[in-house]
């Protein structure tokens, strides 16, 4: 009775797995990979049996069941012959599929075809890798697998151990409820798999020895290596997908993430990782690696470390901001600008239509500028430079820990297979040469073949950068013309808020343009990379990343660079202004400087990109695509009532998900954000706080997308984040230089220091505003440039003030640059040099003092090597002892034979000796 119940339970599990499309029809073999293709259904009354199975010689020996496997392609050939009309293009695709699937069977894979699906005109080929194929490919791919040898990981002793135990208890509520996330105390020794040394590995459960992630990656490697040769050149799975022979190729998700009755890794990740309710918890990185592979797990691990490191940066940024709020009433220059006693009459901001104005009207802007332009921002800039260096070192150490835990310490990436486009280009070149010179030598693409593509890349990138500059210039013209138009308004409130209105609308225009160009530049970067025809996927990805980053960096930061370093620098002076198109004056900074406007520009663009592009687009666009595919499939399946009533299989549901397009977009948005956090942090100390809040949502949003919106990606082994690390280091170095220039040239920090120590009469900041303003005689306006409207100041204006270091009109060298200008410029340049070198030295010191590999990890790696040597020495000693035992046994047996039969013939002795020799050799 027990055996019958067990058999019934086993059959129920198999039926459940088969029911959900996770196994073959026999209910035993797992589906490791899916190939999907489109085909044209027969329109006749005949309904052929559209299930055919492809099995290798091993599976063909199974007991006969319903749907017994047929030889590869036989049923399809019969169907094709029965159909009266055949599309030549579709027929060609079908023949290629037949040959390719036949070649897959020769490699040892087992195939099963299903065309009776709920998706109209879509067929599926289910692929299963048997044990012998998995072992063979694991040895070929040098996969590290756990051995039977288990060792204890050295734990910290004494005070460190007590501190760690306390921290573990404190952090227990924020740990995910996942078994693999607990700290490891023991670890299996890992070694590259070898069929000759199978006895060394822990094969107590063969079904789970190769997990689903490993099985799918092994099958994918076979799919890439197996070729179809009917097209006169070899075509792997990438080429077949590119040519439309197959419409999709993907591994299956483990099951439904919304199911309650079927626990699986996908559902566990959905509950403990992809839910917004667990935003305060650590990520189950080991489970992410188990399900998605090392490359995707490293991205989320890096994102987690980056988000974690933003916490101290956010705290310090808030303190700096609060310091500005606390010292607001003690800031003498801003108080003087608001004091009616120092209410200077300022020169018009534009020709003809603008009137004279009082400096007190910029009181609010000046007071707001102090929140970000104070001595604490210099400290914060230094802190953020050291923070960036510490973050990079912390990530390297974290990455090394993950490499040790995931057995990647000795992993080296092998050369990838050529891309389909590269193979096609090489084929075209070889066919041309064969036609001209009747030679069939193996060809490859040289720089001469790629020269037109390289030239197109250079011209295209320069054109896109020029387009970005042109758009920024257009926004500048908009600002100038709009300011002049609003200044003519009869509404006093409109005239009073000209600067705020123009700044806000211009920033919104910049944001919209940046969002549009980001998408355009992404497509252009991909096209430019495609025409280069890189040989491997890795080369393609690196070149794509470089182009996309360059274009998106210029696109995102050009408006900010303009406000920080160019606005107000080339305006001229009253009576001698610089004009655009001989009619529009270049715009000026406010009396409090351009730092406040830079802060507004940076905050709106950063927050707008995060809210609209990173979150709204990531949520809205995939759901919209999913909805469109769902409506389309419903419309097609409604024509067949029987198909409509069927429940979709797992591979049908995964087919409707969005294909995985790589991690480049995910990394790109975080790298651009990292630039906002570090490059101009002197002007916006709250940038780390907004980045932290965004990333808390971003982690769960990306996790939700990977779990529910995307097909399961093929697991890819990787030991680092690749070229992104170099980009991060480059941004960190650039941030030091840019912040030095922002502090010295954009803020008033250096002019205030120069005035305090060189020109102040009483050693205070009293009189600083008056010191920075020059005089201009209104009679020196060029004809037609002065204000042509009646001013309502209540007195005639003879002299107006403007911000610059120039001689007054009553001086012999009127309007010439003063000595104070050169003193301030020298101090600014000196500050840039000192700040840059000091911070760079401190960053390098941090880099040097923190080791890349944690001491305990280096000790464990060394210990693993010693233990592995001991394992092999013990194995060799066992072999030697076995040989010695055999030798002694044969020797005794020979002595016994000699004592019992002293009259053995010479030939019998020779045969006995040869037998002994044979045993010793074995």
């Amino acid at each position: 009775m027990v055996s019958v119940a067990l058999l019934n339970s086993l059959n129920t599990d198999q039926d459940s797995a088969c029911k959900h499309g996770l196994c073959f029809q026999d209910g035993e073999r797992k589906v490791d990979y899916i190939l999907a293709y489109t085909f044209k259904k027969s329109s006749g009354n005949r309904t052929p049996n559209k299930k055919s199975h492809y099995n290798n010689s091993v599976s063909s020996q199974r007991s006969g069941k319903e749907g017994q496997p047929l030889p590869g392609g036989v049923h399809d050939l019969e169907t094709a012959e029965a159909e009266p009309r055949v599309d030549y293009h579709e027929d060609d695709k079908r023949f290629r599929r037949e040959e390719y699937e036949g070649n897959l069977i020769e490699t040892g894979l087992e195939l099963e075809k299903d065309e009776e699906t709920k998706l109209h005109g879509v067929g599926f080929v289910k692929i299963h890798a048997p044990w012998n194929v998995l072992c063979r490919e694991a040895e070929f791919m040098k996969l590290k697998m756990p051995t039977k040898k288990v060792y204890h990981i050295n734990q910290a002793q004494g005070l460190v151990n007590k501190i760690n135990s306390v921290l573990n208890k404190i952090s227990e509520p924020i740990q995910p409820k996942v078994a693999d996330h607990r700290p490891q105390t023991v670890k299996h020794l890992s070694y590259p798999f070898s069929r000759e040394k199978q006895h060394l590995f822990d094969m107590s459960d063969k079904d789970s020895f190769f997990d689903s992630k490993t099985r799918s990656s092994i099958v994918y490697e076979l799919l890439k290596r197996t070729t179809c040769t009917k097209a006169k050149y070899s075509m792997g799975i990438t080429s077949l997908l590119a040519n439309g022979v197959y419409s999709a190729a993907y591994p299956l998700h483990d099951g439904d993430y919304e199911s309650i009755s079927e626990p699986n890794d996908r559902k566990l990740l959905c509950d403990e990782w992809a839910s917004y309710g667990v935003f305060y918890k650590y990520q189950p990185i080991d489970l992410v690696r188990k399900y998605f592979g090392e490359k995707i797990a490293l991205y989320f691990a890096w994102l987690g470390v980056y988000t974690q490191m933003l916490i101290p940066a956010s705290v310090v940024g808030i303190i700096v901001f609060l310091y500005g709020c606390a010292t607001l009433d003690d800031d003498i220059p801003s108080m003087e600008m608001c004091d009616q006693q120092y209410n200077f009459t300022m020169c018009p901001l534009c020709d003809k239509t603008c009137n004279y104005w009082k400096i007190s009207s910029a009181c609010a802007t000046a007071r707001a500028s102090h929140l970000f332009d104070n001595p604490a921002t210099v400290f914060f800039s230094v802190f953020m430079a050291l923070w960036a260096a510490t973050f990079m070192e912390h990530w390297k150490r974290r990455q090394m820990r993950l490499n040790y835990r995931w057995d990647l310490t000795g992993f080296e990436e092998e050369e990838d297979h050529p891309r389909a486009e590269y193979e096609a280009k090489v084929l075209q070149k070889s066919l041309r040469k064969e036609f001209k010179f009747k030679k069939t030598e193996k060809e490859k693409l040289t720089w001469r073949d790629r020269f037109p593509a390289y030239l197109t890349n250079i011209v295209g990138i320069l054109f896109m950068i020029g387009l970005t500059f042109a758009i920024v210039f257009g926004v500048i013209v908009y600002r100038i013309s709009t300011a002049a138009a609003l200044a003519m308004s009869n509404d006093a409130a409109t005239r009073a808020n000209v600067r705020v209105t123009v700044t806000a609308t211009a920033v919104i225009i910049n944001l919209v343009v940046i969002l549009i160009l980001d998408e355009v530049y992404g497509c252009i970067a991909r096209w430019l990379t495609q025409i280069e025809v890189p040989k491997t996927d890795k080369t393609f990805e690196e070149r794509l990343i470089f182009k996309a980053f360059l274009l998106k960096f210029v696109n995102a930061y050009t408006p900010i660079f303009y406000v920080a370093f160019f606005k107000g620098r080339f305006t001229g002076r009253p009576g001698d202004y610089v004009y655009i198109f001989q009619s529009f004056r270049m715009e000026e900074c406010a009396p409090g400087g351009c730092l406040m406007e830079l802060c507004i520009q940076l905050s709106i663009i950063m927050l707008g990109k995060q809210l609209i592009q990173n979150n709204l687009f990531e949520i809205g666009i995939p759901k919209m695509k999913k909805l469109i595919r769902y409506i389309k499939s419903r419309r097609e399946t409604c024509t067949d009532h029987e198909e409509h009533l069927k429940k979709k299989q797992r591979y049908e549901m995964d087919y409707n998900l969005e294909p995985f397009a790589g991690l480049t977009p995910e990394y790109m948005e975080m790298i651009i954000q990292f630039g906002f956090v570090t490059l101009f942090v002197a002007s916006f100390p709250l940038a780390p706080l907004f980045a932290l809040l965004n990333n808390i949502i971003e982690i769960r949003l990306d996790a939700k997308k990977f779990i529910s919106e995307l097909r399961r990606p093929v697991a890819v082994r990787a030991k680092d984040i690749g070229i992104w690390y170099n980009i991060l280091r480059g941004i960190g170095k650039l941030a030091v230089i840019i912040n030095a220039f922002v502090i010295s040239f954009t803020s008033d920090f250096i002019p205030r220091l120069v005035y305090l120590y060189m020109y102040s009469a009483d050693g205070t900041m009293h009189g600083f505003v008056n010191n920075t303003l020059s005089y201009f005689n209104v009679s020196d306006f060029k004809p037609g440039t002065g204000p042509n409207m009646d001013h309502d100041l209540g007195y005639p204006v003879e002299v107006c003030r403007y911000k610059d270091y120039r001689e007054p009109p009553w001086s012999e060298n009127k309007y010439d640059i003063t000595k104070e200008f050169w003193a301030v410029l020298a101090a600014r340049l000196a500050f840039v040099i000192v700040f840059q070198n000091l911070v760079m030295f401190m960053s390098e010191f941090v880099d040097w003092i923190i080791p890349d590999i944690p001491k305990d990890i280096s000790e464990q790696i060394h210990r693993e090597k010693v233990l592995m040597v001991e394992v092999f020495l013990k194995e060799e000693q066992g072999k030697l002892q076995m040989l010695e035992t055999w030798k002694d046994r044969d020797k005794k047996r020979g002595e016994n034979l000699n004592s019992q039969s002293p009259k053995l013939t010479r030939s019998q002795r020779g045969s006995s000796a040869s037998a002994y020799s044979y045993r010793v050799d074995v």
Side-chain angles (χ1 to χ4, degrees):
M1 292 295 292
V2 175
S3 60
V4 172
L6 185 61
L7 183 61
N8 290 335
S9 174
L10 182 61
N11 290 335
T12 302
D13 293 340
Q14 291 173 354
D15 292 342
S16 176
C18 188
K19 180 181 176 182
H20 294 89
L22 294 174
C23 67
F24 279 22
Q25 288 293 318
D26 56 16
E28 297 177 2
R29 291 168 292 169
K30 297 178 181 178
V31 176
D32 297 320
Y33 217 86
I34 289 291
L35 299 179
Y37 59 92
T38 57
F39 66 95
K40 291 186 177 180
K41 287 193 173 184
S42 175
S43 58
N45 296 326
R46 177 184 51 84
T47 306
N49 177 25
K50 292 183 179 178
K51 282 188 183 288
S52 61
H53 306 267
Y54 296 83
N55 284 34
N56 61 3
S57 57
V58 176
S59 64
S60 64
Q61 296 172 4
R62 295 178 181 269
S63 60
K65 297 181 182 180
E66 183 180 354
Q68 178 66 26
L70 298 174
V74 171
H75 183 77
D76 285 340
L77 285 170
E78 293 173 357
T79 304
E81 290 171 0
E83 291 178 357
R85 298 176 62 185
V86 177
D87 184 6
Y88 176 76
H89 185 60
E90 291 296 325
D91 190 53
D92 180 60
K93 288 183 179 180
R94 183 164 54 83
F95 274 101
R96 291 190 190 182
R97 285 197 296 268
E98 288 171 5
E99 186 199 3
Y100 183 69
E101 290 161 15
N103 293 340
L104 289 178
I105 292 171
E106 290 179 3
T107 64
L109 295 176
E110 299 175 3
L111 277 63
E112 181 177 88
K113 184 173 286 190
D114 184 7
E115 292 184 356
E116 285 187 343
T117 64
K118 196 173 179 182
L119 300 178
H120 182 77
V122 180
F124 297 92
V125 178
K126 295 179 277 187
I127 303 176
H128 169 77
W131 174 257
N132 62 324
V133 174
L134 292 172
C135 293
R136 184 190 71 210
E137 295 302 317
E139 182 176 2
F140 177 76
M141 295 168 63
K142 300 177 182 177
L143 296 180
K144 276 191 171 183
M145 304 303 292
T147 63
K148 296 177 183 177
K149 178 68 176 178
V150 179
Y151 69 96
H152 288 270
I153 298 175
N154 293 334
Q155 302 293 328
Q157 301 295 328
L159 181 62
V160 177
N161 187 29
K162 292 181 180 178
I163 293 173
N164 288 338
S165 63
V166 171
L167 291 176
N168 289 333
K169 290 181 180 178
I170 294 173
S171 64
E172 189 173 351
I174 60 175
Q175 299 292 343
K177 296 177 182 178
V178 177
D180 294 341
H181 194 75
R182 296 170 185 169
Q184 288 181 321
T185 56
V186 295
K187 187 175 184 291
H188 280 273
L189 198 63
S190 296
Y191 186 73
F193 186 81
S194 172
R195 286 173 291 179
E196 294 180 355
K197 295 180 171 60
Q198 285 193 32
H199 58 280
L200 294 178
F201 296 94
D202 183 16
M203 293 186 180
S204 54
D205 185 5
K206 285 190 176 183
D207 290 337
S208 61
F209 184 72
F210 295 106
D211 56 17
S212 60
K213 175 242 328 176
T214 307
R215 296 174 72 99
S216 62
S217 61
I218 287 174
V219 173
Y220 182 65
E221 284 297 319
L222 272 172
L223 291 175
K224 287 197 294 185
R225 290 208 312 269
T226 307
T227 58
C228 168
T229 57
K230 279 191 177 178
K232 296 184 181 178
Y233 67 101
S234 62
M235 295 177 68
I237 187 61
T238 53
S239 303
L240 294 171
L241 287 169
N243 286 275
V245 177
Y246 290 102
S247 57
Y250 52 91
L252 290 179
H253 280 291
D254 276 358
D256 194 355
Y257 63 93
E258 294 177 340
S259 175
I260 300 175
S261 60
E262 298 177 11
N264 54 67
D265 286 343
R266 189 186 186 192
K267 177 169 175 50
L268 185 59
L269 283 171
C270 182
D271 295 338
E272 294 295 328
W273 181 50
S275 173
Y276 293 109
V278 294
F279 71 91
Y280 60 92
K281 290 187 177 183
Y282 286 104
Q283 299 180 83
I285 292 298
D286 290 325
L287 186 58
V288 176
R289 177 249 179 178
K290 178 185 175 185
Y291 194 78
F292 290 110
E294 288 80 5
K295 190 170 185 178
I296 291 175
L298 279 173
Y299 162 71
F300 281 103
W302 173 83
L303 184 56
V305 169
Y306 172 45
T307 305
Q308 189 178 0
M309 288 293 293
L310 282 172
I311 296 175
S314 302
V315 172
V316 176
I318 293 171
I319 293 172
V320 169
F321 179 75
L322 293 177
Y323 172 82
C325 296
T327 59
L328 187 61
D329 294 334
D330 299 330
D331 184 47
I332 296 174
S334 63
M335 297 298 292
E336 285 185 351
M337 289 184 66
C338 299
D339 193 347
Q340 294 295 327
Q341 182 181 353
Y342 303 98
N343 202 3
F344 305 110
T345 302
M346 305 298 292
C347 296
L349 296 174
C350 61
D351 293 345
K352 298 181 184 180
T353 57
C354 297
N355 206 343
Y356 301 105
W357 55 286
K358 292 291 187 177
I359 196 172
S360 60
S361 64
C363 172
T365 305
R367 289 176 66 82
S369 295
H370 177 73
L371 300 177
F372 306 101
D373 187 6
N374 56 68
T377 56
V378 180
F379 157 76
F380 191 56
S381 298
V382 176
F383 170 82
M384 287 303 293
L386 298 179
W387 173 88
T390 307
F391 162 59
M392 301 304 294
E393 291 304 308
H394 178 45
W395 166 244
K396 281 196 291 188
R397 291 169 64 83
R398 171 68 171 160
Q399 186 175 260
M400 199 62 210
R401 287 187 182 278
L402 293 176
N403 284 341
Y404 164 72
R405 191 189 305 175
W406 296 344
D407 299 317
L408 294 171
T409 48
F411 171 70
E412 294 294 336
E413 292 186 10
E414 298 178 358
E415 187 177 356
D416 204 354
H417 298 277
R419 297 173 62 248
E421 293 81 358
Y422 180 85
E423 291 179 338
K425 203 78 174 177
V426 170
L427 173 69
Q428 292 175 5
K429 183 179 179 181
S430 60
L431 289 177
R432 284 197 302 267
K433 280 203 170 185
E434 184 180 349
F435 180 75
K436 281 186 178 181
F437 307 106
K438 305 298 180 184
K439 293 181 180 179
T440 57
E441 296 178 358
K442 189 175 181 180
E443 296 292 338
K444 64 179 181 178
L445 298 184
T446 63
W447 68 269
R448 288 187 179 87
D449 301 315
R450 292 191 173 104
F451 180 75
Y454 290 153
L455 186 62
T456 306
N457 269 260
I458 294 171
V459 173
I461 290 173
L462 291 177
F463 175 77
M464 292 300 114
I465 293 174
L467 176 63
T468 305
F469 290 162
I471 291 173
V472 172
F473 180 74
V475 175
I476 294 170
V477 174
Y478 161 79
R479 294 163 67 114
I480 296 169
S481 58
T482 305
L486 292 177
M488 298 172 63
S489 174
N490 296 324
D491 186 12
T494 303
R495 293 198 303 271
N497 297 311
V498 168
R499 195 182 295 275
V500 176
T501 304
V502 169
T503 300
T505 55
V507 172
I508 292 172
I509 292 172
N510 275 326
L511 175 61
V512 173
V513 170
I514 286 171
L515 294 177
I516 294 172
L517 287 184
D518 257 1
E519 302 301 319
V520 174
Y521 286 168
C523 297
I524 291 174
R526 180 169 291 276
W527 176 74
L528 290 175
T529 310
Q530 285 173 346
I531 64 174
E532 280 188 45
V533 198
K535 184 176 181 179
T536 63
D537 286 329
K538 183 180 179 182
T539 310
F540 180 89
E541 186 181 20
E542 289 179 350
R543 294 184 183 183
L544 173 62
I545 289 170
F546 174 75
K547 294 180 184 66
F549 173 74
L550 179 62
L551 293 174
K552 293 189 176 186
F553 182 89
V554 173
N555 181 42
Y557 295 113
T558 298
I560 301 172
F561 269 93
Y562 164 72
V563 174
F565 303 122
F566 296 98
K567 184 178 179 181
R569 310 290 175 191
F570 311 102
T571 57
R573 62 170 179 82
D576 189 22
Y577 284 113
V578 176
Y579 291 89
I580 299 176
F581 304 131
Q582 299 181 349
S583 55
F584 297 108
R585 266 172 48 184
M586 291 291 291
E587 54 182 345
E588 305 174 32
C589 289
C594 279
L595 195 71
M596 188 60 202
E597 187 173 344
L598 176 61
C599 175
I600 295 171
Q601 183 106 358
L602 184 66
S603 60
I604 291 179
I605 291 177
M606 177 182 176
L607 295 177
K609 275 181 67 66
Q610 289 183 168
L611 292 175
I612 298 173
Q613 188 180 41
N614 298 355
N615 294 333
L616 186 62
F617 283 9
E618 286 192 6
I619 296 173
I621 291 178
K623 287 192 177 296
M624 187 65 68
K625 289 181 178 179
K626 189 177 180 180
L627 179 63
I628 292 171
R629 285 195 301 269
Y630 175 74
I631 294 172
K632 186 178 178 182
S633 65
R634 283 291 296 269
R635 189 177 300 169
E636 290 175 345
T637 55
C638 281
T639 58
D640 194 333
H641 183 66
E642 290 182 3
E643 290 183 353
H644 183 65
L645 293 176
K646 286 171 55 181
K647 185 178 179 180
K648 282 188 177 180
Q649 300 292 322
R650 177 79 265 154
Y651 46 84
E652 295 176 81
M653 290 188 282
D654 287 2
Y655 182 78
N656 285 328
L657 297 177
E658 188 75 12
F660 176 63
L663 290 170
T664 300
E666 316 300 334
Y667 273 113
M668 188 66 71
E669 65 184 67
M670 288 295 106
I671 296 297
I672 296 296
Q673 184 204 84
F674 182 78
F676 283 122
V677 169
T678 54
L679 291 179
F680 296 94
V681 74
S683 63
F684 190 38
L686 295 178
L689 174 64
F690 289 114
L692 173 64
L693 297 176
N694 174 80
N695 288 6
I696 291 173
I697 301 172
E698 180 73 21
I699 291 174
R700 308 303 165 181
L701 181 65
D702 284 348
K704 189 76 174 175
K705 183 172 66 175
F706 273 85
I707 290 295
S708 61
E709 305 292 338
L710 297 178
R711 293 175 190 159
R712 188 175 182 179
V714 179
V716 178
R717 288 186 296 170
K719 61 188 299 183
D720 52 40
I721 59 175
I723 193 175
W724 297 110
Y725 181 81
N726 298 326
I727 292 175
L728 285 169
R729 284 191 66 87
I731 291 177
K733 302 293 184 186
L734 184 63
V736 176
I737 301 170
I738 289 178
N739 280 303
F741 276 94
V742 167
I743 293 170
S744 60
F745 285 91
T746 308
S747 74
D748 281 340
F749 178 74
I750 299 301
R752 291 185 183 194
L753 285 181
V754 171
Y755 174 79
L756 183 65
Y757 293 106
M758 294 182 64
Y759 297 98
S760 176
D762 55 357
T764 65
M765 291 303 296
H766 288 288
F768 172 73
V769 175
N770 183 44
N771 179 261
T772 59
L773 298 177
S774 299
Y775 294 88
F776 178 74
N777 193 331
V778 298
S779 61
D780 292 334
F781 274 122
K782 290 182 179 180
T785 60
N788 56 7
M789 61 174 68
D790 295 332
H791 52 81
D792 52 359
L793 297 178
Y795 56 88
V797 177
E798 296 181 356
V799 176
C800 63
R801 309 293 294 273
Y802 62 100
K803 191 173 182 178
D804 205 348
Y805 293 100
R806 291 184 180 272
E807 299 286 350
W810 54 81
S811 173
E812 293 182 2
N813 304 315
K814 66 177 184 178
Y815 306 133
D816 283 354
I817 293 174
T818 62
K819 292 181 180 179
E820 188 174 353
F821 170 83
W822 298 110
V824 171
L825 179 62
R828 282 173 164 165
L829 294 174
F831 176 83
V832 169
I833 295 172
V834 173
F835 181 89
Q836 175 187 333
N837 287 281
L838 178 63
V839 175
M840 287 284 191
F841 170 77
M842 295 171 69
S843 300
E844 292 297 328
F845 179 74
V846 170
D847 191 1
W848 172 76
I849 202 172
I850 301 176
D852 294 346
I853 304 176
K855 185 178 179 181
D856 59 325
I857 296 299
S858 62
E859 290 175 354
Q860 296 290 357
I861 293 172
H862 177 70
R863 187 183 174 199
E864 276 196 357
K865 292 179 180 177
V866 173
L867 288 174
M868 187 55 67
V869 171
E870 290 178 0
V871 168
F872 283 112
L873 284 176
K874 188 179 291 185
E875 184 185 8
E876 292 299 323
Q877 288 174 359
K879 289 181 180 179
L880 287 174
Q881 289 177 0
M882 189 178 296
L883 287 174
E884 291 292 337
T885 304
W886 285 351
K887 188 184 293 185
D888 293 340
R889 187 183 304 165
D890 290 342
K891 192 173 182 181
K892 289 178 180 178
R893 186 178 299 169
E895 291 175 354
N896 292 334
L897 288 172
N898 290 333
S899 62
Q900 293 175 4
S901 305
K903 297 180 180 180
L904 284 172
T905 61
R906 186 176 299 175
S907 60
Q908 288 173 327
R909 287 183 189 140
S911 63
S912 175
S914 62
Y916 167 74
S917 175
Y918 173 74
R919 292 192 190 98
V920 172
D921 290 340
V922 172

